[in-house]
CSV table of all heavy atoms in Angstrom, one decimal:
chain,number,residue,atom,x,y,z
A,83,VAL,N,-18.8,2.6,88.5
A,83,VAL,CA,-18.4,4.0,88.4
A,83,VAL,C,-18.3,4.4,87.0
A,83,VAL,O,-17.7,3.8,86.2
A,83,VAL,CB,-17.1,4.3,89.1
A,83,VAL,CG1,-16.7,5.7,89.0
A,83,VAL,CG2,-17.1,3.8,90.6
A,84,PHE,N,-19.0,5.5,86.6
A,84,PHE,CA,-18.9,6.1,85.3
A,84,PHE,C,-19.6,7.4,85.3
A,84,PHE,O,-20.5,7.7,86.0
A,84,PHE,CB,-19.7,5.2,84.3
A,84,PHE,CG,-21.2,5.2,84.4
A,84,PHE,CD1,-22.0,5.9,83.6
A,84,PHE,CD2,-21.8,4.4,85.5
A,84,PHE,CE1,-23.3,5.9,83.8
A,84,PHE,CE2,-23.1,4.4,85.6
A,84,PHE,CZ,-23.9,5.2,84.8
A,85,ASP,N,-19.1,8.3,84.4
A,85,ASP,CA,-19.7,9.6,84.2
A,85,ASP,C,-20.2,10.4,85.4
A,85,ASP,O,-21.3,10.9,85.5
A,85,ASP,CB,-20.9,9.4,83.2
A,85,ASP,CG,-21.4,10.7,82.6
A,85,ASP,OD1,-20.6,11.6,82.5
A,85,ASP,OD2,-22.6,10.7,82.3
A,86,GLY,N,-19.4,10.4,86.5
A,86,GLY,CA,-19.7,11.1,87.7
A,86,GLY,C,-20.7,10.4,88.6
A,86,GLY,O,-21.3,11.0,89.5
A,87,LYS,N,-21.0,9.1,88.3
A,87,LYS,CA,-21.9,8.4,89.1
A,87,LYS,C,-21.3,7.2,89.7
A,87,LYS,O,-20.4,6.6,89.2
A,87,LYS,CB,-23.1,7.9,88.2
A,87,LYS,CG,-23.9,9.0,87.6
A,87,LYS,CD,-24.9,8.4,86.5
A,87,LYS,CE,-25.8,9.4,85.9
A,87,LYS,NZ,-25.1,10.4,85.1
A,88,ALA,N,-21.7,6.8,90.9
A,88,ALA,CA,-21.3,5.6,91.6
A,88,ALA,C,-22.5,4.8,92.0
A,88,ALA,O,-23.5,5.4,92.6
A,88,ALA,CB,-20.5,6.0,92.9
A,89,ILE,N,-22.6,3.6,91.6
A,89,ILE,CA,-23.8,2.7,91.8
A,89,ILE,C,-23.4,1.4,92.5
A,89,ILE,O,-22.5,0.7,92.1
A,89,ILE,CB,-24.4,2.4,90.4
A,89,ILE,CG1,-24.8,3.6,89.7
A,89,ILE,CG2,-25.6,1.4,90.6
A,89,ILE,CD1,-25.4,3.4,88.3
A,90,ASN,N,-24.2,1.1,93.5
A,90,ASN,CA,-24.1,-0.2,94.2
A,90,ASN,C,-25.4,-0.9,94.0
A,90,ASN,O,-26.5,-0.3,94.0
A,90,ASN,CB,-23.8,0.0,95.7
A,90,ASN,CG,-22.4,-0.1,96.0
A,90,ASN,OD1,-21.6,-0.5,95.2
A,90,ASN,ND2,-22.0,0.1,97.3
A,91,VAL,N,-25.3,-2.2,93.7
A,91,VAL,CA,-26.5,-3.0,93.4
A,91,VAL,C,-26.7,-4.0,94.6
A,91,VAL,O,-25.7,-4.6,95.0
A,91,VAL,CB,-26.2,-3.8,92.1
A,91,VAL,CG1,-27.4,-4.6,91.8
A,91,VAL,CG2,-25.9,-2.8,91.0
A,92,VAL,N,-27.9,-4.0,95.1
A,92,VAL,CA,-28.2,-4.9,96.2
A,92,VAL,C,-29.4,-5.8,95.9
A,92,VAL,O,-30.5,-5.3,95.5
A,92,VAL,CB,-28.6,-4.0,97.5
A,92,VAL,CG1,-28.9,-4.8,98.7
A,92,VAL,CG2,-27.6,-2.9,97.7
A,93,SER,N,-29.2,-7.1,96.0
A,93,SER,CA,-30.2,-8.1,95.7
A,93,SER,C,-31.0,-8.5,96.9
A,93,SER,O,-32.1,-9.1,96.7
A,93,SER,CB,-29.6,-9.3,95.0
A,93,SER,OG,-28.8,-9.9,95.9
A,94,SER,N,-30.5,-8.3,98.1
A,94,SER,CA,-31.2,-8.7,99.3
A,94,SER,C,-32.3,-7.7,99.7
A,94,SER,O,-32.3,-6.6,99.4
A,94,SER,CB,-30.2,-9.0,100.4
A,94,SER,OG,-29.6,-7.7,100.7
A,95,GLU,N,-33.2,-8.3,100.5
A,95,GLU,CA,-34.3,-7.4,101.0
A,95,GLU,C,-33.8,-6.4,102.0
A,95,GLU,O,-34.2,-5.2,102.0
A,95,GLU,CB,-35.4,-8.3,101.7
A,95,GLU,CG,-36.1,-9.3,100.8
A,95,GLU,CD,-37.0,-8.6,99.8
A,95,GLU,OE1,-37.7,-7.6,100.2
A,95,GLU,OE2,-37.2,-9.2,98.7
A,96,LYS,N,-32.8,-6.8,102.8
A,96,LYS,CA,-32.2,-5.9,103.8
A,96,LYS,C,-30.8,-5.4,103.2
A,96,LYS,O,-30.0,-6.2,102.8
A,96,LYS,CB,-32.0,-6.6,105.1
A,96,LYS,CG,-31.4,-5.8,106.2
A,96,LYS,CD,-31.3,-6.5,107.5
A,96,LYS,CE,-30.7,-5.8,108.6
A,96,LYS,NZ,-30.3,-4.5,108.6
A,97,ILE,N,-30.6,-4.1,103.2
A,97,ILE,CA,-29.4,-3.6,102.5
A,97,ILE,C,-28.3,-3.6,103.5
A,97,ILE,O,-28.3,-3.0,104.6
A,97,ILE,CB,-29.7,-2.1,102.1
A,97,ILE,CG1,-30.8,-2.1,101.0
A,97,ILE,CG2,-28.4,-1.5,101.5
A,97,ILE,CD1,-31.3,-0.8,100.7
A,98,PRO,N,-27.2,-4.4,103.2
A,98,PRO,CA,-26.1,-4.5,104.1
A,98,PRO,C,-25.4,-3.1,104.3
A,98,PRO,O,-25.3,-2.3,103.3
A,98,PRO,CB,-25.1,-5.5,103.4
A,98,PRO,CG,-26.0,-6.2,102.4
A,98,PRO,CD,-27.1,-5.2,102.0
A,99,GLU,N,-24.8,-2.9,105.4
A,99,GLU,CA,-24.1,-1.7,105.7
A,99,GLU,C,-22.9,-1.4,104.8
A,99,GLU,O,-22.6,-0.3,104.5
A,99,GLU,CB,-23.7,-1.7,107.2
A,99,GLU,CG,-23.1,-0.4,107.7
A,99,GLU,CD,-24.1,0.8,107.7
A,99,GLU,OE1,-25.3,0.5,107.8
A,99,GLU,OE2,-23.7,1.9,107.5
A,100,ARG,N,-22.3,-2.5,104.3
A,100,ARG,CA,-21.2,-2.3,103.4
A,100,ARG,C,-21.5,-1.6,102.1
A,100,ARG,O,-20.7,-0.9,101.5
A,100,ARG,CB,-20.5,-3.7,103.1
A,100,ARG,CG,-21.3,-4.5,102.2
A,100,ARG,CD,-20.6,-5.8,101.8
A,100,ARG,NE,-21.5,-6.6,100.9
A,100,ARG,CZ,-22.4,-7.5,101.3
A,100,ARG,NH1,-22.6,-7.7,102.6
A,100,ARG,NH2,-23.1,-8.1,100.4
A,101,GLU,N,-22.8,-1.7,101.7
A,101,GLU,CA,-23.2,-1.0,100.5
A,101,GLU,C,-23.2,0.5,100.7
A,101,GLU,O,-22.8,1.3,99.8
A,101,GLU,CB,-24.6,-1.4,100.1
A,101,GLU,CG,-24.7,-2.9,99.8
A,101,GLU,CD,-23.9,-3.5,98.7
A,101,GLU,OE1,-23.4,-2.7,97.8
A,101,GLU,OE2,-23.6,-4.7,98.7
A,102,PHE,N,-23.6,1.0,101.9
A,102,PHE,CA,-23.6,2.4,102.2
A,102,PHE,C,-22.1,2.9,102.4
A,102,PHE,O,-21.8,3.9,102.0
A,102,PHE,CB,-24.4,2.7,103.5
A,102,PHE,CG,-25.8,2.4,103.4
A,102,PHE,CD1,-26.4,1.3,104.0
A,102,PHE,CD2,-26.7,3.2,102.6
A,102,PHE,CE1,-27.8,1.0,103.9
A,102,PHE,CE2,-28.0,2.9,102.5
A,102,PHE,CZ,-28.6,1.8,103.1
A,103,LYS,N,-21.4,2.0,103.1
A,103,LYS,CA,-20.0,2.4,103.4
A,103,LYS,C,-19.2,2.6,102.1
A,103,LYS,O,-18.3,3.5,102.0
A,103,LYS,CB,-19.3,1.3,104.2
A,103,LYS,CG,-19.8,1.3,105.7
A,103,LYS,CD,-19.1,0.2,106.5
A,103,LYS,CE,-19.5,0.2,107.9
A,103,LYS,NZ,-18.8,-0.8,108.7
A,104,GLY,N,-19.4,1.7,101.1
A,104,GLY,CA,-18.7,1.9,99.8
A,104,GLY,C,-19.0,3.2,99.2
A,104,GLY,O,-18.1,3.9,98.7
A,105,LEU,N,-20.3,3.6,99.2
A,105,LEU,CA,-20.6,4.8,98.6
A,105,LEU,C,-20.1,6.0,99.3
A,105,LEU,O,-19.7,7.0,98.8
A,105,LEU,CB,-22.2,4.9,98.4
A,105,LEU,CG,-22.8,4.0,97.4
A,105,LEU,CD1,-24.3,4.0,97.4
A,105,LEU,CD2,-22.3,4.3,96.0
Side-chain angles (χ1 to χ4, degrees):
V83 177
F84 70 100
D85 192 29
K87 296 172 179 65
I89 299 177
N90 264 351
V91 180
V92 183
S93 64
S94 61
E95 298 287 329
K96 183 173 174 9
I97 299 169
E99 189 61 31
R100 71 176 181 272
E101 304 296 342
F102 297 106
K103 286 180 179 178
L105 291 174

